Amino acid sequence: MADLKEKGKKGFGNILRKNEAIPAAGQAESRVIGAKQEKQGWAAVTKPDFHMMCIVFMGIFVIFVMVWGVCQSIKSINASMGADGQSILKVEDNSENAGKSIDVDALAQKILDNVAFEAELNKLDDSVAEGMVGMAEGTKLQIYMGNGTFADELLIMTSRDEVSAKKNMEHVNAHLKETAATFRDYLPEEAKKVEDAVSIRCGCYVIVCITSDYETAEKTINSVIKE
């Protein structure tokens, strides 16, 4: 009888221990599941949203392009204002020799023979030359030009007096600005050559030489003027 009671107590104790173990196991499993869910939730939060990143980068790129375009527009406007508002003609005035007569044909030939041009220069017909450059009344004009890919040019104006020669300098300046603008976009080196053109006025004569060999051109022209 005592043995039966003892076995009954042990069996009842085992049942109680099993019942206590079940909720403990359930709690442990719940903690594991909760930890997994928490980890997945954190991963979802920290995972980069590539779609949003692409939108942000595209927005930054568009802003950059817009700013670059505005800067280029401002630069072009400033360049245009500078070209219109300032003279690019750098004049060497030899008025001390204004009383002498110059053989312009001999001058032109000496320049063509001694100055290095990147293109062979040929004399334009008078009607073509007069249509290219404005002139004061009574002016005679000679223009020697190369092909269209080079700005090289020799221009000689013989004005009827010194007042007309000074007026012709304004026409020459307009011609040079127009020529430089023609080359500036696709041949900037040629435009720079125009901007550095040798320009000399002596009395009623105006001589302009567009060449990269500007030092020789200047010396040659002055040597003829001072002969």
Side-chain angles (χ1 to χ4, degrees), residues 131-145:
M132 293 183 61
V133 186
M135 296 182 298
E137 186 176 353
T139 300
K140 295 181 181 179
L141 173 64
Q142 292 185 19
I143 297 181
Y144 297 79
M145 296 185 67

Side-chain angles (χ1 to χ4, degrees), residues 1 7 19 27 50 89 93 101 117 123-125 135-136 154 169 188 201 205 217:
M1 191 68 178
K7 289 181 179 179
N19 288 338
Q27 291 176 4
F50 290 104
L89 195 60
D93 195 337
S101 177
F117 293 100
K123 186 179 180 181
L124 301 183
D125 291 338
M135 296 182 298
L154 172 61
M169 294 300 294
R201 184 179 69 81
Y205 299 99

Side-chain angles (χ1 to χ4, degrees), residues 6-125:
E6 186 65 25
K7 289 181 179 179
K9 289 179 180 180
K10 289 181 179 180
F12 183 74
N14 290 336
I15 291 172
L16 289 176
R17 283 194 295 271
K18 288 181 180 180
N19 288 338
E20 290 175 354
I22 289 172
Q27 291 176 4
E29 185 178 356
S30 297
R31 284 196 296 271
V32 171
I33 294 172
K36 288 183 178 179
Q37 290 177 345
E38 183 179 356
K39 184 176 181 181
Q40 290 175 354
W42 175 250
V45 171
T46 57
K47 183 179 181 180
D49 189 338
F50 290 104
H51 179 68
M52 182 61 68
M53 289 175 65
C54 290
I55 293 176
V56 172
F57 282 125
M58 288 179 64
I60 294 173
F61 177 75
V62 170
I63 293 173
F64 173 78
V65 172
M66 291 176 64
V67 172
W68 181 84
V70 170
C71 292
Q72 292 298 312
S73 298
I74 294 173
K75 183 178 179 181
S76 298
I77 293 171
N78 289 337
S80 299
M81 291 178 64
D84 292 336
Q86 297 180 0
S87 171
I88 65 173
L89 195 60
K90 303 174 181 64
V91 183
E92 179 179 340
D93 195 337
N94 281 278
S95 296
E96 67 272 13
N97 298 299
K100 69 179 302 181
S101 177
I102 298 175
D103 184 341
V104 293
D105 292 325
L107 170 62
Q109 192 59 52
K110 189 166 185 177
I111 294 172
L112 295 174
D113 290 341
N114 291 277
V115 178
F117 293 100
E118 294 182 82
E120 182 180 355
L121 302 190
N122 297 298
K123 186 179 180 181
L124 301 183
D125 291 338

